[in-house]
Amino acid sequence: MLMLLLDKKPQITILIFMASTTVNLRGHHLLCLLAFRGKGYNRAFINNLAKLQEKIRNDKKIKIKIVEGADDICVQCPYLNGNTCCKEAEERTQKINKIDNNILNKLNFKKNEIITLSDLVKSLSQIPKQELAKLCSSCSWLKTENCPKEIILFIHSFST
């Protein structure tokens, strides 16, 4: 929404109300967002992810734009350096990009595509449980979380 306010002076003040109806997510975060259960790198990261998860789950009008590189979840990551992960530099960035591409290929989505949560759930529901677990197999969070199980539970709750 764009609002124009006129001052008594001959200048125009422009206020932009940022009620974004689009969330930018990279490939693997399409899954992370559904499986998130309150753990993360730091409080700012956790709070950001929780707000995004709530926004997507509660507002059916929200669109998800699939992006390459850093997304709306990454913005609060302590390892973010520009548009890349600096945790393990180039090797880590390549690994994450490969995971993103594998997930997008399995879900039949493309970079820059705009989808809805319903589209995501429909695509995920076509993937056998064993294959879904394989998509998360190289993720370091899988050691402490049962993301594939959480994603399956979400799919079931979404469609009922």
Side-chain angles (χ1 to χ4, degrees):
M1 173 190 290
L2 186 62
M3 292 176 48
L4 298 177
L5 299 175
L6 293 174
D7 278 344
K8 292 181 180 177
K9 299 176 186 174
Q11 66 187 27
I12 298 176
T13 305
I14 300 176
L15 297 177
I16 300 177
F17 177 69
M18 297 289 289
S20 180
T21 57
T22 304
V23 173
N24 297 307
L25 295 177
R26 62 186 312 149
H28 75 275
H29 282 163
L30 295 170
L31 304 182
C32 297
L33 193 65
L34 301 182
F36 173 69
R37 293 292 174 262
K39 295 182 180 176
Y41 301 112
N42 60 25
R43 182 57 44 206
F45 181 85
I46 292 166
N47 290 342
N48 181 52
L49 189 44
K51 287 176 187 173
L52 288 170
Q53 184 185 57
E54 181 181 356
K55 184 177 186 175
I56 286 178
R57 287 183 173 191
N58 294 334
D59 187 346
K60 304 298 183 212
K61 294 178 185 176
I62 294 291
K63 302 293 184 196
I64 301 167
K65 181 177 182 183
I66 301 169
V67 298
E68 183 174 18
D71 63 9
D72 290 347
I73 291 176
C74 297
V75 297
Q76 290 296 329
C77 180
Y79 301 110
L80 184 63
N81 183 13
N83 195 33
T84 60
C85 179
C86 64
K87 188 174 184 180
E88 295 170 24
E90 188 61 30
E91 181 183 321
R92 175 96 172 142
T93 298
Q94 288 176 359
K95 178 184 173 187
I96 294 169
N97 289 340
K98 184 177 179 182
I99 293 168
D100 287 341
N101 290 331
N102 288 341
I103 289 171
L104 291 177
N105 287 336
K106 197 66 171 171
L107 294 173
N108 243 352
F109 295 141
K110 305 277 185 247
K111 292 174 187 158
N112 296 316
E113 186 173 352
I114 296 176
I115 63 171
T116 63
L117 180 58
S118 187
D119 297 329
L120 176 57
V121 169
K122 182 178 177 182
S123 189
L124 284 168
S125 66
Q126 304 300 313
I127 300 174
K129 292 177 185 178
Q130 301 82 357
E131 287 186 43
L132 185 60
K134 287 179 188 175
L135 289 175
C136 299
S137 65
S138 61
C139 177
S140 59
W141 285 100
L142 195 56
K143 295 171 190 160
T144 60
E145 300 299 313
N146 191 350
C147 301
K149 178 184 174 188
E150 296 297 336
I151 293 166
I152 291 165
L153 290 171
F154 179 79
I155 294 167
H156 178 71
S157 70
F158 187 84
S159 55
T160 56

